[in-house]
Amino acid sequence: MKIIMLGAPGAGKGTQAKMIADKYGVPHISTGDIFRANIKNGTELGVEAKKYMDQGLLVPDELTVKLLLDRVANEDCKNGYVLDGFPRTIPQAEVLEKALNEINDKIDYAIDIDVPDENIINRMSGRRACLACGATYHIEHVPPKKEGICDRCGKELVLRDDDKPETVKKRLNVYHEQTQPLIDFYTNKGILKTVDGTVDMKDVFQSVVNILGE
Ligand code: ADP
Ligand code: AMP
C-alpha cells in the first residue's frame, strides 16, 4: 500500500500518517522530519535546507528528490509506505511517478486532508514538536501528558521556527501556488481521495480507514 498525504501545512498530514503507519504496518516517511533531523545533526544538507525552511520556502527539488527516492528504495518500503510532505511540487510528483513506473509500481492513494486557511494559523501556533522522535502535539487539541515533554521519548517539545505566524502565512501562499496543483494532478490519475480535516483527529482517521479498508 503506497499512500501520499496531501494538504496545507498543519492540515494534519503527520498526525494521520503516523496513525496509518501504526495500523497498516508501513513506514511513515516525512521529508520535513528528515530535513529537521539533518538540521539537528548539523549536516551539510541540514545547513542548506534550513535556509529555505526558515523563510517558509520549499527546499529545492534537487535536494529533495534524491533523498526521497533513496529512502523509498530501502528494504522496509517493500510492502509500501505513507509519504508525508512529499511530493510538494508537480516536478516532484512526476519524478516519483517515473521512478515507480520503472519498477512497474504506482501510488495507490493520494489522500487530501481538507482544512481551510482560517483554521491553519491556530493549528500551527499551538503545535509542539519533538525534534528527537518526530511526535507532534497541540497545546489545546492534543496536549502531552506533561507540559513541554514528549510522551513518547521524554525529550523537550518545541515550537518549530517555521510555525511562527508570519512564516505560516508565507508557507500557506507557497502551498497554494506550488503544492495545491497536485490535487488536480492526482484527480486526473484517478487516485485522489478527500477527507474533511476540520473534525476531531479520530474522526479524520475513520474517514481514512473507510478509504483504505479495515
Ligand atoms: P501537518 O503534518 O499537515 O503539517 P500536523 O499533523 O503536524 O500537520 O498537525 C498540525 C497541528 O494540528 C498539530 O499540533 C496537531 O496536533 C494538530 N492536529 C492534527 N489533527 C488535528 C485535528 N483533526 N484537530 C485538531 N488539531 C489537529
Ligand atoms: P513539513 O514538516 O512537512 O511541514 O515541512 C517543513 C519544511 O520542510 C517545508 O516548509 C519545506 O521548507 C521543507 N520541505 C519538506 N518537504 C519538502 C518537499 N517535499 N519539497 C520541498 N521542501 C520540503
Side-chain angles (χ1 to χ4, degrees):
M1 184 188 283
K2 297 190 174 64
I3 304 162
I4 287 171
M5 304 306 290
L6 294 176
K13 299 181 295 297
T15 302
Q16 297 300 321
K18 286 186 188 81
M19 293 162 92
I20 293 172
D22 286 347
K23 181 171 171 75
Y24 298 96
V26 290
H28 164 213
I29 301 176
S30 154
T31 37
D33 281 353
I34 297 173
F35 288 134
R36 280 184 291 278
N38 275 275
I39 292 172
K40 194 161 170 264
N41 294 330
T43 68
E44 210 175 304
L45 173 66
V47 171
E48 196 55 28
K50 189 172 181 345
K51 291 183 198 160
Y52 298 93
M53 291 169 74
D54 282 354
Q55 295 180 66
L57 299 173
L58 295 185
V59 176
D61 289 348
E62 305 85 84
L63 296 179
T64 311
V65 166
K66 184 174 181 307
L67 176 135
L68 189 280
L69 293 183
D70 286 350
R71 177 65 188 87
V72 297
N74 271 12
E75 184 63 19
D76 67 334
C77 291
K78 226 175 37 200
N79 296 322
Y81 41 78
V82 51
L83 299 185
D84 158 19
F86 187 100
R88 256 181 160 103
T89 63
I90 297 277
Q92 289 182 10
E94 286 171 344
V95 173
L96 176 64
E97 186 181 39
K98 185 163 169 280
L100 287 172
N101 266 340
E102 280 166 11
I103 52 169
N104 264 331
D105 209 344
K106 62 175 180 42
I107 296 293
D108 300 300
Y109 300 98
I111 301 179
D112 178 39
I113 308 184
D114 190 25
V115 176
D117 286 7
E118 303 85 85
N119 303 29
I120 294 289
I121 304 276
N122 164 281
R123 288 262 184 110
M124 307 294 260
S125 56
R127 170 158 65 183
R128 294 295 178 271
C130 175
L131 298 183
C133 77
T136 44
Y137 302 84
H138 189 282
I139 50 177
E140 288 162 35
H141 311 299
V142 196
K145 292 196 183 81
K146 190 163 174 232
E147 198 184 317
I149 302 294
C150 180
D151 292 350
R152 208 153 78 174
C153 75
K155 297 271 165 47
E156 195 189 350
L157 299 177
V158 296
L159 173 67
R160 277 168 43 181
D161 286 341
D162 61 347
D163 279 352
K164 310 218 160 103
E166 281 323 297
T167 318
V168 171
K169 283 185 197 141
K170 175 78 196 168
R171 291 170 67 198
L172 273 173
N173 288 339
V174 167
Y175 166 75
H176 289 302
E177 277 170 24
Q178 300 191 56
T179 306
Q180 211 170 15
L182 291 174
I183 293 180
D184 283 344
F185 181 92
Y186 287 113
T187 300
N188 293 336
K189 307 274 171 207
I191 59 166
L192 188 91
K193 306 281 175 187
T194 304
V195 297
D196 177 3
T198 61
V199 295
D200 186 273
M201 55 191 259
K202 291 190 190 66
D203 297 326
V204 180
F205 189 57
Q206 189 52 55
S207 307
V208 169
V209 171
N210 292 344
I211 293 164
L212 302 179
E214 275 299 338

